[in-house]
């Protein structure tokens, strides 16, 4: 009995404390074990065919996993849920899943999409939760959000290393032949990618490089190393001949006092050795691209 409990606990630990009826039967060798373990207090019923170890705290991820474990066939977190799991949105959004058609799934916890083109190649795992691939997630995002927002998400995904331009292109070619909705946003994302995208450390760096390309500004040097007053710095973008540095400010990072102080020291060191530093925030790139381009151009000797 103790070994049975330990086996169940190991499986549940990777699934936010949850177990399917099939997993319980496999671990105990008895199809009716779930009901017995509920009576003894080890398990709690969460949904038909899905149970939680006693004391499991409610979580958004656990609610999603509950839906996934209740599905009879290929299923994955998708749309808003996938965007959340990939770290492209931080709010606990609606729970959405895609299930392979003709499979069906009834749940009052989730929005269910029956998909004819969902395959094993479109599904990966994040902390044990099956989720649509990053490329498919962006395509699905094109059904929910505007293309500008999907491009922003794609830039972050590329900078985080969870997607490559080649993977995105292969997905586009595979689904585009079938007229898949949402590919318009993928096309715009692919068209927005500047040369050197593989060197970006953040989505906003890709946004900046795209802006430079879009406004026909001279190509800057990415990740340019500089030594100033004995300190080595790496500039987001630089025009070394003009000694012009372009930096991106991440609001949350720069609200930390120690980071704010370090940035001021960095800027002072660069200015002292002859560099001009201009800084932009994400809202500048998103809402005022014309002004950003004009400001950069004003510092360049063209």
């Amino acid at each position: 009995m103790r070994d049975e409990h330990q086996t169940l606990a190991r499986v549940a630990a990777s699934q936010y404390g949850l177990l399917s009826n099939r997993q319980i039967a496999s671990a105990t060798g008895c199809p009716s074990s779930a009901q017995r373990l509920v009576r003894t207090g080890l398990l709690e019923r969460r949904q038909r065919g899905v149970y939680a170890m006693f004391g499991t705290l409610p979580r958004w991820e656990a609610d999603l996993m509950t839906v996934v474990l209740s599905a009879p066939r290929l299923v994955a977190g998708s749309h808003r849920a996938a965007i959340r799991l990939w770290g492209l949105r931080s709010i606990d959004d609606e729970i959405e899943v895609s299930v392979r058609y003709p499979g069906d799934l009834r749940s009052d916890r989730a929005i269910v999409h029956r998909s004819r083109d969902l395959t094993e190649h479109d599904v990966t795992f994040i902390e044990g939760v099956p989720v649509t691939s990053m490329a498919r997630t962006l395509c699905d995002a094109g059904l929910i959000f505007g293309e500008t927002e999907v491009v922003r998400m794609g830039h972050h995904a590329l900078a985080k290393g969870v997607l490559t331009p080649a993977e995105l292109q292969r997905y586009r070619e595979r689904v585009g032949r079938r007229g898949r909705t949402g590919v318009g946003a993928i096309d715009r994302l692919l068209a927005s990618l500047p040369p050197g995208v593989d060197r970006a450390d953040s989505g906003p760096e890709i946004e900046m490089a795209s802006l430079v390309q879009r406004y026909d500004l001279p190509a800057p040097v990415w990740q340019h190393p500089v030594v100033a007053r004995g300190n080595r710095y790496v500039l987001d973008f630089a025009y070394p001949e003009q000694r012009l540095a372009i930096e991106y400010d991440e609001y949350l990072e720069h609200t930390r006092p120690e980071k704010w102080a370090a940035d001021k020291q960095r800027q002072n060191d660069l200015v002292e050795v002859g560099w001009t530093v201009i800084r932009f925030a994400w809202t500048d790139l998103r809402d005022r691209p014309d002004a950003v381009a004009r400001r950069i151009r004003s510092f360049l000797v063209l």
Side-chain angles (χ1 to χ4, degrees):
M1 184 70 69
R2 184 176 180 180
D3 289 344
E4 174 184 277
H5 290 183
Q6 290 177 339
T7 299
L8 292 172
R10 280 197 301 271
V11 176
S14 64
Q15 300 180 161
Y16 300 98
L18 301 171
L19 295 157
S20 70
N21 195 45
R22 293 187 298 274
Q23 290 171 329
I24 296 167
S26 176
T28 62
C30 176
S32 61
S33 290
Q35 289 75 20
R36 170 174 59 82
L37 295 171
V38 169
R39 289 195 299 271
T40 62
L42 181 67
L43 298 180
E44 300 173 314
R45 187 177 183 275
R46 285 290 172 88
Q47 185 171 304
R48 182 179 180 181
V50 182
Y51 300 82
M53 300 292 289
F54 180 77
T56 298
L57 297 176
R59 292 182 60 180
W60 180 88
E61 293 87 349
D63 285 342
L64 172 58
M65 197 70 179
T66 297
V67 176
V68 166
L69 288 174
S70 69
R73 53 195 299 150
L74 184 63
V75 65
S78 65
H79 298 74
R80 292 176 182 84
I83 292 167
R84 163 73 167 79
L85 287 170
W86 282 110
L88 301 180
R89 278 165 66 88
S90 59
I91 63 173
D92 290 346
D93 225 328
E94 290 96 334
I95 292 175
E96 295 186 72
V97 298
S98 290
V99 61
R100 172 72 178 180
Y101 181 87
D104 200 5
L105 175 62
R106 306 289 179 179
S107 174
D108 58 4
R109 296 172 180 261
I111 300 169
V112 179
H113 304 271
R114 300 174 75 198
S115 172
R116 294 179 180 274
D117 65 355
L118 183 69
T119 71
E120 287 82 359
H121 297 293
D122 294 317
V123 181
T124 185
F125 290 83
I126 298 178
E127 295 184 356
V129 182
V131 59
T132 50
S133 69
M134 188 70 260
R136 183 184 173 104
T137 296
L138 290 171
C139 193
D140 288 338
L143 306 176
I144 305 167
F145 303 102
E147 290 185 359
T148 299
E149 180 66 8
V150 177
V151 168
R152 183 193 69 80
M153 291 179 184
H155 287 177
H156 277 285
L158 290 160
K160 288 172 64 177
V162 296
L163 178 69
T164 67
E167 289 170 339
L168 190 63
Q169 183 65 53
R170 284 196 297 270
Y171 179 81
R172 170 64 180 85
E173 291 170 356
R174 177 163 64 89
V175 301
R177 290 191 294 269
R178 297 195 292 269
R180 175 72 151 81
T181 53
V183 296
I186 300 297
D187 286 338
R188 181 169 172 186
L189 172 56
L190 285 167
S192 76
L193 299 182
V197 66
D198 56 314
R199 299 195 297 274
D201 285 335
S202 69
E205 284 188 16
I206 301 177
E207 295 284 350
M208 178 65 78
S210 298
L211 183 149
V212 166
Q213 183 181 54
R214 195 162 66 249
Y215 285 87
D216 293 322
L217 292 166
V221 177
W222 292 50
Q223 302 294 316
H224 182 63
V226 173
V227 176
R229 292 182 55 79
N231 296 311
R232 186 179 186 277
Y233 300 118
V234 178
L235 308 177
D236 292 339
F237 295 97
Y239 292 95
E241 291 185 4
Q242 287 85 3
R243 297 183 76 78
L244 174 65
I246 302 173
E247 300 274 76
Y248 166 77
D249 284 333
E250 175 63 51
Y251 174 76
L252 292 177
E253 287 187 353
H254 287 260
T255 57
R256 297 201 302 266
E258 64 276 15
K259 185 69 168 66
W260 183 87
D263 280 347
K264 291 300 181 186
Q265 181 63 53
R266 167 193 175 100
Q267 182 155 327
N268 289 341
D269 287 348
L270 290 168
V271 169
E272 189 166 330
V273 296
W275 281 83
T276 297
V277 181
I278 52 177
R279 315 186 73 95
F280 299 106
W282 159 244
T283 52
D284 296 321
L285 305 182
R286 181 190 64 193
D287 301 332
R288 297 176 289 278
D290 290 348
V292 171
R294 284 196 303 270
R295 185 161 179 78
I296 294 172
R297 195 182 300 274
S298 71
F299 282 95
L300 295 176
V301 179
L302 301 179

